[in-house]
């Protein structure tokens, strides 16, 4: 597959995984009645909707590149706990980091999905099976701050080799 196609397909895969983990457009599980997008969120539920305007994620991929990724879309809506949310960070080269699922204070490894894609070298890591532990140091109406550690996250792209991932993330209203 040519590099130009990978640069489009890998970030698209990440976005689809992030949105799918939060129910997408199925109203029966908390989604909106229309198509899901990174700037739309369920309008029902107990937690307030917070518009995120800034943020950064730092991601280290198994001794390889360290990525500094800004919040993907200023104006992304995040639902304060106890709701599910998807938040993505990306740089102009299409390297991405995303978190999706039920956000909760403290450490968790089973209720969240985590994705990382890199363009050089090409890789697409996705954790939905507890390979990662995420720690939210701050989580509330003004956004969140946290960190993550992952061991042996499957790679669906590139050489297919799993990798250890670690980093920090912050998003603010």
């Amino acid at each position: 597959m040519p590099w130009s196609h990978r640069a489009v397909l890998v970030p698209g895969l990440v976005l689809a995984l992030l949105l799918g983990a939060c129910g997408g457009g199925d109203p029966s599980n908390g989604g909106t009645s229309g198509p899901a997008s990174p700037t739309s969120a369920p309008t029902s539920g107990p937690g307030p909707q917070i518009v995120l305007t800034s943020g950064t994620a730092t991601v280290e991929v198994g001794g390889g590149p360290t990525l500094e990724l800004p919040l993907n879309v200023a104006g992304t809506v995040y639902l304060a706990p106890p709701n599910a949310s998807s938040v993505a960070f990306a740089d102009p080269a299409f390297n991405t980091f995303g978190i999706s699922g039920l956000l909760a204070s403290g450490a968790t490894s089973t209720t969240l999905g985590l994705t990382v894609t890199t363009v050089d070298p090409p890789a697409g890591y996705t954790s939905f099976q507890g390979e990662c532990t995420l720690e939210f140091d701050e989580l509330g109406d003004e956004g969140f701050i946290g960190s993550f550690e992952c061991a042996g996250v499957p790679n669906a792209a590139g050489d297919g080799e799993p990798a250890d991932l670690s980093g920090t993330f912050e998003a603010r209203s």
Side-chain angles (χ1 to χ4, degrees):
M1 177 180 306
W3 279 99
S4 61
H5 295 314
R6 287 183 185 162
V8 173
L9 290 176
V10 172
L13 174 65
V14 169
L15 185 58
L17 289 169
L18 287 173
L19 295 174
C22 287
D26 183 358
S28 68
N29 65 6
T32 60
S33 59
S37 74
T39 57
S40 68
T43 56
S44 63
Q49 294 183 17
I50 290 52
V51 177
L52 299 173
T53 58
S54 65
T56 303
T58 301
V59 179
E60 183 177 335
V61 180
T66 296
L67 309 170
E68 296 287 333
L69 307 171
L71 183 66
N72 191 30
V73 178
T76 294
V77 175
Y78 140 77
L79 298 174
N83 293 301
S85 287
S86 290
V87 179
F89 301 81
D91 66 12
F94 298 107
N95 296 298
T96 65
F97 167 73
I99 304 168
S100 62
L102 296 172
L103 307 183
S105 294
T108 182
S109 62
T110 58
T111 60
L112 294 174
L114 182 139
T115 58
V116 173
T117 60
T118 61
V119 175
D120 187 20
Y125 304 100
T126 303
S127 169
F128 285 104
Q129 302 298 317
E131 300 92 347
C132 298
T133 298
L134 289 88
E135 176 93 29
F136 284 92
D137 301 320
E138 190 177 310
L139 181 63
D141 293 350
E142 294 179 10
F144 53 85
I145 297 173
S147 60
F148 64 96
E149 293 282 334
C150 307
V153 179
N155 178 3
D159 64 11
E161 291 294 317
D164 296 341
L165 309 169
S166 62
T168 60
F169 50 88
E170 176 178 6
R172 294 280 177 209
S173 59

